[in-house]
């Protein structure tokens, strides 16, 4: 599906953002470990999360859809050997976290994915899992791979990078391993796993950038999933750069390990306010008001990077409209996403007229440049590249076309409808 994006009138009104994908993945997977029933409310219906749901069903969970917002996962007779290979679709989160769960089971399993996922590296989780005693057959550390269920032992692992996927994988393996598992990372990555483990009664302790877990059984607890700040990011940037915009995004998770984009956009002089702050299922939540702003450049690096890694493509769009030069460093992990997001963002924003330079681990963006448009954008089978391009198209002088925009459905099938809801076109 190719779409055309035209220059936008002011964005106005309020929207409720869909459920957080990271928390939904964990709610589904962790429910499968409880040996009981868990009701999940406000779950993500993106293709990635549905891949996770399908896999736990193959592993013996019974899924009952109550309505458009609620389902029940009955894990009384899970986990058990699947009768066929497990399809992770395009989801790296599904793949890496399920590897942590499946490595310690008393059965064998196989994971595979689509062409894009099959190119993504899995060594970062395979290596520490093998230290714990896991046994894999793989294709140069890529999918498809076979997991030979093994008895695992706890380890102390010092991760060279801050990664919530790697951390969650090892902690999940540690839940069913002998002894103690300790995971240490250079910066604190998103901590949804730690919060949900605590909420569900795991034997877990957090010490600065280290997490310690002992073998324990998760308890069945109902989970309400808050809105996804990664999805909200596109609307935040759109409102900041489309003149005279003023929107409210409701029910957004503002977990400190995910809310780096708020900190950065405020540092760029973004007019952003948090309203109605509250706690839902252990996660901080707020409504976010965003108004059009005269942005200024900033430098983004170091410990904040893991808190906004997925939002960097759309932050780059904001930087094109900021006075001065924005520098983004320490974001080399962007090269290991659905696409090489550093090269993809540079190439596509240059097409629009942006002054952006690619570095080994980020960007140099000279801002306050008019985006011309009148071109066709490629999305590289990457939902975040597609949506970032859409936001850029809202301020282009001439229309742009985005090829294969259907990739957005992987994470955010509601995207276009919500954009239309705040549009002031007659």
């Amino acid at each position: 599906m190719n779409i055309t994006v035209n220059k936008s009138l002011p964005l106005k009104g309020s929207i409720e953002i869909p459920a957080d994908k990271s928390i939904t993945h964990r709610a589904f997977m962790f429910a499968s470990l409880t040996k009981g029933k868990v009701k999940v409310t406000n779950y993500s219906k993106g293709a990635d999360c549905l891949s996770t749901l399908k896999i736990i069903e193959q592993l013996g969970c019974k899924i009952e859809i109550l309505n458009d917002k609620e389902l029940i996962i009955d894990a009384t007779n899970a986990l058990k050997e699947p009768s066929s290979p497990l399809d992770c679709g395009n989801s790296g989160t599904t793949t890496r976290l399920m590897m942590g769960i499946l490595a310690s089971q008393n059965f064998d399993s196989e994971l595979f994915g689509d062409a894009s996922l099959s190119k993504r590296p899995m060594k970062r989780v395979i290596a520490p899992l093998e230290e714990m005693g896991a046994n894999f057959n793989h294709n140069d550390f890529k999918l498809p791979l076979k997991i030979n269920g093994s008895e695992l032992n706890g380890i102390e692992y010092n991760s060279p990078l801050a990664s919530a996927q790697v951390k969650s994988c090892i902690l999940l393996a540690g839940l069913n391993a002998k002894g103690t598992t300790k995971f240490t990372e250079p910066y604190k990555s998103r901590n949804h796993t730690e919060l949900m483990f605590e909420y569900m009664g795991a034997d877990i302790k957090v010490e600065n950038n280290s997490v310690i877990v002992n073998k324990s059984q998760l308890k069945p607890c109902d989970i309400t999933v808050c809105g996804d700040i990664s999805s909200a990011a596109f609307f935040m940037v759109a409102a900041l750069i489309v003149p005279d915009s003023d929107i409210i995004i409701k029910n957004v998770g503002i977990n400190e390990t995910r809310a780096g984009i708020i900190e950065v956009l405020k540092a760029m002089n973004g007019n952003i306010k948090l309203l109605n702050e509250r706690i839902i299922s252990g996660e901080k939540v707020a409504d976010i008001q965003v108004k059009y702003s005269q942005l200024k450049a900033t430098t983004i690096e170091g410990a904040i990077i893991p808190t906004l890694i997925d939002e960097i493509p759309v932050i780059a769009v904001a930087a094109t409209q900021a006075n001065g030069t924005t520098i983004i460093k320490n974001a080399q992990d962007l090269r290991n996403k659905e696409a090489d997001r550093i090269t993809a963002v540079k190439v596509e924003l240059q097409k629009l007229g942006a002054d952006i330079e690619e570095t080994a681990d980020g960007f140099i963006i000279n801002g306050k440049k008019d985006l011309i448009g009148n071109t066709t954008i490629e999305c590289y089978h990457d939902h975040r590249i597609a949506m970032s391009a859409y936001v850029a198209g809202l301020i282009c002088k001439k229309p742009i076309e985005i090829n294969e925009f259907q990739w957005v459905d992987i994470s955010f099938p509601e995207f276009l409808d919500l954009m239309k809801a705040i549009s002031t076109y007659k």
Side-chain angles (χ1 to χ4, degrees), residues 83-101:
S83 59
S84 59
L86 305 170
D87 185 359
C88 299
N90 188 249
S91 177
T93 300
T94 303
T95 307
R96 295 189 176 108
L97 271 62
M98 285 306 309
M99 287 169 67
I101 292 174

Side-chain angles (χ1 to χ4, degrees), residues 333-350:
D333 199 37
L334 285 174
R335 296 195 184 275
N336 298 316
K337 299 292 185 177
E338 284 83 338
D340 179 340
R341 287 180 178 163
I342 292 178
T343 296
V345 167
K346 183 262 297 189
V347 168
E348 302 309 317
L349 287 184
Q350 280 184 345

Side-chain angles (χ1 to χ4, degrees), residues 168-419:
S168 298
C169 172
I170 303 310
L171 294 178
L172 282 163
L175 268 188
N176 199 33
K178 287 183 177 180
T180 298
T181 298
K182 182 177 181 180
F183 183 93
T184 302
E185 55 190 343
Y187 308 116
K188 189 174 183 179
S189 63
R190 61 182 63 176
N191 66 349
H192 301 305
T193 292
E194 296 94 299
L195 291 175
M196 197 173 290
F197 269 17
E198 184 176 5
Y199 178 68
M200 300 178 79
D203 183 354
I204 184 170
K205 184 178 181 181
V206 178
E207 297 177 345
N208 298 317
N209 294 337
S210 297
V211 187
I212 301 164
V213 67
N214 290 295
K215 186 170 184 176
S216 44
Q217 175 68 53
L218 296 183
K219 299 174 183 177
C221 302
D222 293 344
I223 301 167
T224 298
V225 182
C226 57
D228 183 12
I229 194 167
S230 294
S231 297
F234 300 101
F235 297 88
M236 293 167 65
V237 170
L240 288 174
I241 65 176
V242 174
D244 299 321
S245 294
D246 182 355
I247 66 171
I248 292 176
I249 311 167
K250 297 180 178 180
N251 189 40
V252 182
I254 55 168
N255 180 307
E256 62 180 10
T257 65
R258 293 284 302 285
I261 186 168
I262 295 175
E263 183 178 338
V264 163
L265 293 177
K266 283 185 174 182
M268 295 176 75
N269 198 43
N271 188 340
I272 299 172
K273 293 180 181 178
L274 301 181
L275 312 173
N276 190 24
E277 294 186 50
R278 55 207 186 271
I279 302 290
I280 297 177
S281 295
E283 292 280 354
K284 294 181 180 178
V285 182
D287 302 333
I288 304 176
Q289 183 177 32
V290 188
K291 296 182 180 181
Y292 172 71
S293 304
Q294 295 292 335
L295 300 178
K296 64 180 183 181
T298 190
T299 296
I300 308 168
E301 61 183 333
I304 200 170
I305 292 294
T307 73
L308 48 65
I309 189 73
D310 285 334
E311 291 74 67
I312 287 177
V314 78
I315 290 173
V317 175
T320 69
Q321 302 307 298
N323 279 309
T325 300
T326 294
I327 298 173
I328 301 175
K329 301 178 181 179
N330 309 129
Q332 60 270 20
D333 199 37
L334 285 174
R335 296 195 184 275
N336 298 316
K337 299 292 185 177
E338 284 83 338
D340 179 340
R341 287 180 178 163
I342 292 178
T343 296
V345 167
K346 183 262 297 189
V347 168
E348 302 309 317
L349 287 184
Q350 280 184 345
K351 285 184 186 177
L352 300 179
D355 184 350
I356 178 171
E357 177 184 339
E358 170 185 349
T359 64
D361 62 350
F363 306 97
I364 300 171
I365 305 168
N366 296 307
K368 217 57 185 173
K369 300 292 182 181
D370 288 339
L371 300 186
I372 305 303
N374 194 32
T375 189
T376 299
I377 297 295
E378 303 300 331
C379 74
Y380 305 81
H381 297 179
D382 190 317
H383 49 133
R384 298 194 193 280
I385 299 298
M387 289 183 283
S388 297
Y390 187 101
V391 172
L394 297 177
I395 58 167
C396 286
K397 291 186 173 181
K398 297 180 180 179
I400 67 169
E401 184 173 13
I402 305 175
N403 283 340
E404 297 186 305
F405 198 76
Q406 72 272 11
W407 285 95
V408 168
D409 291 345
I410 284 173
S411 66
F412 199 170
E414 306 90 344
F415 177 80
L416 288 176
D417 287 340
L418 289 175
M419 276 292 180

